[in-house]
Amino acid sequence: MKRSGPFLLLVPLLFVVAFVMTILLLLQPPPTGACGVAGEPIGPATGNLGGVSGTGITAAELATVRSSPLARNNSFTEGVFHSTAYGPPWGVDPQSGVDQGAGIATAAGLRLNGGAPRKYFVATDPAVISSGQWLYIWPNPFQWRGAFLAADTGSAINGRDIDFYDWRGRSFQLAWSKPVTVSRAPMSGLGPGPADMQPGAFAPPLATTPTAPPAAAATGPVLNLGDSLAVGSGPELERKLTGRTVTTLAARDRTSAQGLSILRGVSTVPSTIVVQLGTNDSDVSAFRANVRSIVAVARLASAKVWWVNISRPVLNGTSASELNAVLTAEAARQDNLQIIDWKAAVAAATVQLSDGVHPTAAGYEKRATLIADALAGADSTLGACASAAPGSLGELAGSPEQIVNGVVEYAHANGFPNVTVESVRVANAAHSVQTTSGNTSDHKGPPDFAWAADISNGNAPTPQMDALAATIAGAFSIPWQGSGLVSAGNAEYRLQLIYRTCGGGDHWNHIHFGVKKVFFLIIRRTGSSTPRPC
Ligand SMILES: [Zn+2]
């Protein structure tokens, strides 16, 4: 074929245009569900990684991530996100001073063991995309057309942030920072990936209940704390729990608030606490706060709470079911709280109530049997709680709220009588969402992910605040020099202690203690405390 001159000149020009178009297509986030290129794959396909549909993640690892509390909310948000990348080498980066953590496991429990395995997963804000969700992201650092698993979180990953785990090292990680489109379904034009990549095709259902709670020791002393029902069942309980010392601290008409203050006064809290309270309560919100405080006091003592639920007529407009719903919800998120189902025993007519509240002698015998059977079924270990010395702070286990509540209960007993689990909850609800640096404040939760308390007993620093800050720092191994903003923790939790400083907002006259679940943590020591109020 004969070609004219101008046509020959056009050929290279068309190549240039096609090349530029291709680059633009690679860089631009495609509109969800309507990407421009059909049929042909974009970019080189990544080889088979094994694991679940080529992601390098095994079915067992997926199950682990989906059993994490971070998977519980089932959140998913589509659209444009901002993305960055992180990963090995682990430890403190000599260039930036940023600590990437030890790389042992992601926040949702995916084990990396300090290595650099080739896996497609990302860190997300679990309030926006829960751990355990599959998501399709384009573009991405690997030109991977299959799904990524949300399996991690990070202290700097808030809202519409995506952090790609990139095993290839720092130069790749630093080179990546750009907007991406996130979709729940495969994006058309990108190819669906392997057929079994479809979310849900192979995956076990999301965990809706927490893993089995650790149980208290089946031996050792027992504290029986409660109202008239604890008075009535006390002697039978002592008889049934042979070989165990049962101390009954009970009185009729006692409320959960009174029971809490009695528990706070117990000098040596045993590892098993039976609570028989709530029958005389009618304020649901106060009851919830008291349950949380009692569980927090128990946690401080590495103790487990066995709470007998409630069967009684409506009191001041509040039904037993409302209070039992609080107990059920708290037990689902507190691994040292277990419910003993008295309500079901009454409903099944296996016991008779003489006055709608108090059982007959045979009923008390049945109630004591229920309690004793529950305690006898306990394992001989207390799980995570067992590692903490009785009565000490500093246990990094459970949810951020549980860790913070332990500090709050300690503070309440050591010079801060006005600071309670309930006062912190109320303050956090009213707290601003963003920090001075624009991140979501730990105060805003959700409590399984992040929680914080502001603790103060004066308008200026006091000796009690100085002492408490030092105690918290010592208990949690936070490098503390009397003032400033210090972040510390481990590969699972980012702790933050702020006091006597204007850094990060006005923290001159109160101690801020915050805990957040993370994977990689940023150690930031700001010694810029100024010797004056902000
Ligand atoms: Zn604060």
Side-chain angles (χ1 to χ4, degrees):
M1 183 191 260
K2 195 181 180 223
R3 287 173 179 161
S4 68
F7 182 83
L8 284 169
L9 282 174
L10 259 172
V11 172
L13 186 61
L14 283 170
F15 268 110
V16 169
V17 168
F19 180 75
V20 169
M21 292 286 285
T22 306
I23 293 293
L24 285 174
L25 282 167
L26 281 171
L27 292 178
Q28 289 303 312
T32 303
C35 299
V37 182
E40 289 300 303
I42 295 175
T46 306
N48 183 14
L49 299 185
V52 178
S53 306
T55 59
I57 294 160
T58 67
E61 288 172 328
L62 178 65
T64 299
V65 169
R66 290 191 164 178
S67 68
S68 160
L70 296 167
R72 217 176 278 160
N73 288 344
N74 221 0
S75 309
F76 202 100
T77 304
E78 296 189 315
V80 176
F81 282 61
H82 186 262
S83 71
T84 48
Y86 76 104
W90 307 111
V92 176
D93 185 275
Q95 223 77 67
S96 62
V98 171
D99 191 341
Q100 303 269 347
I104 302 304
T106 70
L110 188 63
R111 304 289 301 182
L112 301 174
N113 299 318
R118 216 173 148 206
K119 292 177 188 295
Y120 289 127
F121 71 84
V122 293
T124 59
D125 180 340
V128 176
I129 297 176
S130 299
S131 294
Q133 301 282 343
W134 289 112
L135 54 155
Y136 292 82
I137 312 170
W138 195 265
N140 63 67
F142 320 101
Q143 299 185 17
W144 166 245
R145 290 164 294 121
F148 291 80
L149 183 67
D152 200 4
T153 62
S155 56
I157 306 305
N158 296 298
R160 286 174 173 264
D161 286 341
I162 292 275
D163 213 12
F164 287 100
Y165 162 75
D166 191 333
W167 57 87
R168 299 170 300 178
R170 198 72 78 238
S171 59
F172 285 96
Q173 295 150 13
L174 293 176
W176 187 269
S177 175
K178 63 181 67 178
V180 295
T181 295
V182 168
S183 167
R184 190 191 276 277
M187 289 180 238
S188 66
L190 301 181
D196 58 351
M197 176 58 81
Q198 307 309 316
F202 46 79
L206 278 171
T208 51
T209 51
T211 49
T219 56
V222 177
L223 174 59
N224 176 30
L225 180 70
D227 50 30
S228 57
L229 294 166
V231 174
S233 57
E236 275 296 328
L237 201 52
E238 286 170 39
R239 258 193 296 281
K240 291 184 190 304
L241 293 174
T242 47
R244 306 184 71 171
T245 308
V246 178
T247 303
T248 295
L249 296 177
R252 54 176 302 187
D253 297 336
R254 185 169 283 168
T255 63
S256 62
Q258 293 166 326
L260 169 61
S261 63
I262 286 162
L263 178 61
R264 282 171 173 154
V266 174
S267 56
T268 307
V269 176
S271 64
T272 303
I273 307 171
V274 175
V275 179
Q276 308 191 51
L277 290 166
T279 299
N280 302 303
D281 282 54
S282 54
D283 180 335
V284 175
S285 153
F287 180 68
R288 182 183 297 108
N290 293 331
V291 171
R292 288 183 179 177
S293 276
I294 285 170
V295 171
V297 172
R299 183 173 286 276
L300 265 180
S302 301
K304 176 156 178 162
V305 174
W306 303 81
W307 201 300
V308 186
N309 71 4
I310 300 149
S311 176
R312 63 142 167 74
V314 170
L315 176 67
N316 300 327
T318 300
S319 70
S321 299
E322 290 173 82
L323 302 178
N324 288 338
V326 168
L327 289 172
T328 303
E330 289 306 306
R333 50 193 293 285
Q334 309 253 21
D335 63 1
N336 65 329
L337 171 63
Q338 190 147 325
I339 308 303
I340 295 172
D341 202 351
W342 172 246
K343 172 94 179 188
V346 174
T350 55
V351 290
Q352 263 68 51
L353 303 180
S354 55
D355 59 356
V357 176
H358 301 93
T360 59
Y364 273 123
E365 201 271 334
K366 172 74 179 175
R367 186 174 173 100
T369 301
L370 270 179
I371 296 169
D373 286 353
L375 267 51
D379 295 327
S380 57
T381 61
L382 189 56
C385 297
S387 58
S392 74
L393 288 169
E395 181 198 0
L396 281 180
S399 74
E401 188 199 18
Q402 288 162 2
I403 295 167
V404 170
N405 281 353
V407 168
V408 168
E409 281 300 332
Y410 179 90
H412 181 86
N414 290 280
F416 301 84
N418 296 330
V419 178
T420 63
V421 164
E422 173 67 359
S423 76
V424 168
R425 191 194 62 75
V426 169
N428 283 0
H431 200 279
S432 57
V433 173
Q434 289 200 331
T435 65
T436 52
S437 55
N439 292 322
T440 302
S441 167
D442 288 355
H443 286 287
K444 303 312 290 183
D448 285 350
F449 173 62
W451 202 242
D454 291 329
I455 303 170
S456 179
N457 67 344
N459 293 324
T462 62
Q464 290 86 3
M465 281 193 255
D466 290 341
L468 179 65
T471 299
I472 293 170
F476 291 98
S477 303
I478 299 170
W480 182 248
Q481 293 173 329
S483 65
L485 181 160
V486 179
S487 296
N490 60 19
E492 277 186 80
Y493 301 92
R494 192 273 285 120
L495 308 175
Q496 204 167 46
L497 184 60
I498 318 175
Y499 172 51
R500 274 185 182 268
T501 181
C502 303
D506 185 350
H507 291 87
W508 180 254
N509 62 11
H510 65 273
I511 296 168
H512 168 105
F513 178 67
V515 181
K516 188 171 181 177
K517 286 222 108 181
V518 291
F519 172 38
F520 57 96
L521 63 116
I522 297 164
I523 292 186
R524 211 173 124 205
R525 300 179 193 189
T526 306
S528 64
S529 57
T530 43
R532 55 171 176 75
C534 308

